[in-house]
Amino acid sequence: MGGAPLNMSRLRCIMRGLDFKVYLLLFIIVPTVVLGIYVHGQKITYFLRPLWEKPPKPFHEIPHYYHENVSMENLCRLHGWGIRESPRRVFDAVLFNNEVDILTIRWKELEPYVTQFVLLEVNSTFTGIPKPLYFANHREHFKFVEQRLTYGTIGGRFKKGENPFVEEAYQRVVLDKLLGIAGIMDDDLLIMSDVDEIPSGHTINLLRWCADTPPVLHLRLKNYLYSFEFPVDNKSWRASVHQYKAGKTRYAHYRQTDDILSDAGWHCSFCFRHISEFIFKMKAYSHYDRVRFKYYLDPKRIQDVICKGANLFDMLPEEYTFKDIIGKLGPIPHSFSAVHLPAHLLNNAEKYKYLLPGNCNRESG
């Protein structure tokens, strides 16, 4: 019975023996550090990335030559390639979520060179969130490719809690089957890229006419965020073009070769007209875990972030050296150039003005 009072007495003695600095450490500094790690742990991890992850193997960069007044024969020769008697057929295949405007700009850019457009749509996101079939609802808008369109839909598996990359991989397997339905054959060119990774038309024209090109070739695209007002860098590499081989070619979105063609198009990430589309993608795409706090989805915050060129997820740059991380700290500098952008975008500048410099405000949607 006397144990409890004795223990309390010992505790009081211990507490009296602690000076002010120890109290400060225990009750202010330690909790503050713990809270700081909880709130900014992701930033700390990304900043220290060069210590625990090596950069990937460098690509073999192929210089890209182009001018509208240079003949195709000369362009092929400049790249060290021959020229074919006739161009290869080209298939452009994409998984579609809800990017109606960006898909329009992409297909208008590629329309003169693509034999068959292939699109797969699912009624759920990679994270298992139900969604409408946006393409089906806007199909009239794409009449200009209707005669060359192979469109497929599948039902989502709705497996909550599953790694979203598993669902993404499953959909890419289905897209392989859809390409077979579209009639792809050996030696046809297959463009593998997300909707917002847009190869330039002259790049695809070059690859369909030139002989002796690499059988698999990644495309170096200029990276933009939110619109063409915010150029990030030229490090986008996941888009690729393949000379199709039955039984061997599989639709994928990872590194598949060391060869990459420089300055081959544009990657416009999170380039949406409506704030509601930003919110939807933040919750729906494979990196949904980056939404660490609910206030990230606040419409007013999202609008402020867009106009500043800041990061929606309050993250540090994803780089492999301290020099590159420090060089990209802070908002993306504004660009006032709209040179060398997709033709359909500039021909319809009023409709797509939110994608051009000086128009950062978005509709609520």
Side-chain angles (χ1 to χ4, degrees):
M1 293 292 291
L6 182 61
N7 288 338
M8 289 300 295
S9 297
R10 286 177 178 174
L11 181 61
R12 290 192 191 98
C13 289
I14 293 171
M15 296 297 287
R16 287 194 201 102
L18 299 177
D19 60 17
F20 174 75
K21 291 180 180 179
V22 177
Y23 280 114
L24 186 67
L25 177 67
L26 289 176
F27 298 108
I28 297 180
I29 296 178
V30 171
T32 301
V33 170
V34 171
L35 179 62
I37 291 174
Y38 172 71
V39 175
H40 299 292
Q42 189 180 61
K43 287 185 177 180
I44 295 170
T45 301
Y46 272 77
F47 186 76
L48 297 177
R49 186 179 191 179
L51 299 179
W52 53 265
E53 187 172 356
K54 293 182 179 180
K57 177 184 176 183
F59 280 98
H60 168 233
E61 298 272 353
I62 299 175
H64 190 172
Y65 302 90
Y66 173 72
H67 192 281
E68 58 188 11
N69 292 329
V70 178
S71 71
M72 185 58 68
E73 183 176 3
N74 280 340
L75 289 174
C76 291
R77 181 177 53 79
L78 285 167
H79 291 84
W81 303 327
I83 189 164
R84 296 166 54 90
E85 292 183 1
S86 60
R88 289 185 176 91
R89 300 196 309 165
V90 179
F91 287 68
D92 181 39
V94 294
L95 296 174
F96 185 74
N97 187 22
N98 64 337
E99 313 97 321
V100 173
D101 283 355
I102 290 295
L103 181 66
T104 304
I105 292 169
R106 176 194 181 97
W107 281 0
K108 285 288 187 179
E109 177 72 16
L110 299 177
E111 180 191 7
Y113 316 107
V114 169
T115 308
Q116 193 74 12
F117 294 92
V118 181
L119 184 145
L120 177 67
E121 186 169 29
V122 186
N123 65 348
S124 71
T125 67
F126 294 151
T127 54
I129 299 173
K131 75 173 188 67
L133 295 176
Y134 287 100
F135 183 85
N137 294 338
H138 292 85
R139 189 160 179 170
E140 286 290 309
H141 181 70
F142 296 96
K143 278 185 175 180
F144 64 97
V145 299
E146 186 64 41
Q147 298 303 313
R148 292 179 283 158
L149 174 63
T150 301
Y151 171 59
T153 63
I154 56 170
R157 297 182 306 144
F158 298 103
K159 292 190 176 182
K160 290 196 173 182
E162 181 181 68
N163 187 320
F165 289 101
V166 174
E167 175 66 24
E168 183 176 348
Y170 165 71
Q171 293 183 21
R172 295 188 190 280
V173 170
V174 177
L175 190 52
D176 275 329
K177 297 179 180 178
L178 194 60
L179 280 163
I181 296 171
I184 196 167
M185 300 173 65
D186 281 2
D187 204 42
D188 290 339
L189 289 186
L190 171 59
I191 304 171
M192 298 185 189
S193 70
D194 287 349
V195 171
D196 59 6
E197 297 167 337
I198 307 174
S200 62
H202 68 78
T203 295
I204 300 305
N205 197 33
L206 177 78
L207 295 176
R208 75 186 187 125
W209 270 106
C210 293
D212 310 315
T213 57
V216 180
L217 183 63
H218 280 286
L219 304 180
R220 178 77 73 191
L221 309 179
K222 293 179 180 178
N223 255 328
Y224 296 87
L225 189 62
Y226 312 138
S227 74
F228 293 99
E229 181 174 353
F230 297 105
V232 181
D233 55 35
N234 66 343
K235 293 184 178 182
S236 179
W237 57 266
R238 292 183 178 273
S240 59
V241 178
H242 299 242
Q243 294 171 20
Y244 187 83
K245 299 297 179 188
K248 292 185 178 180
T249 305
R250 294 287 181 267
Y251 197 97
H253 199 235
Y254 49 75
R255 183 164 176 167
Q256 302 176 70
T257 183
D258 291 337
D259 294 323
I260 191 166
L261 182 63
S262 180
D263 199 4
W266 314 269
H267 180 192
C268 200
S269 185
F270 279 87
C271 291
F272 299 120
R273 181 187 297 271
H274 302 104
I275 294 293
S276 59
E277 294 174 282
F278 285 86
I279 296 172
F280 179 77
K281 179 162 183 176
M282 290 172 74
K283 294 191 296 185
Y285 86 139
S286 298
H287 296 288
Y288 74 99
D289 57 314
R290 294 177 177 178
V291 184
R292 300 177 62 238
F293 305 102
K294 190 174 181 180
Y295 77 87
Y296 282 8
L297 301 175
D298 177 67
K300 185 178 184 303
R301 173 191 175 271
I302 292 172
Q303 179 62 80
D304 289 343
V305 166
I306 294 168
C307 285
K308 290 176 182 176
N311 190 287
L312 282 170
F313 305 99
D314 196 23
M315 292 171 55
L316 291 183
E318 297 180 77
E319 297 292 346
Y320 295 93
T321 67
F322 290 116
K323 178 182 177 181
D324 287 341
I325 291 173
I326 294 170
K328 285 188 175 180
L329 289 177
I332 305 164
H334 295 248
S335 168
F336 298 96
S337 172
V339 178
H340 301 306
L341 297 181
H344 184 72
L345 169 62
L346 297 181
N347 283 329
N348 297 271
E350 185 60 32
K351 179 178 180 180
Y352 300 118
K353 65 181 180 180
Y354 72 94
L355 292 174
L356 296 171
N359 297 282
C360 68
N361 289 318
R362 295 298 192 266
E363 301 171 25
S364 58

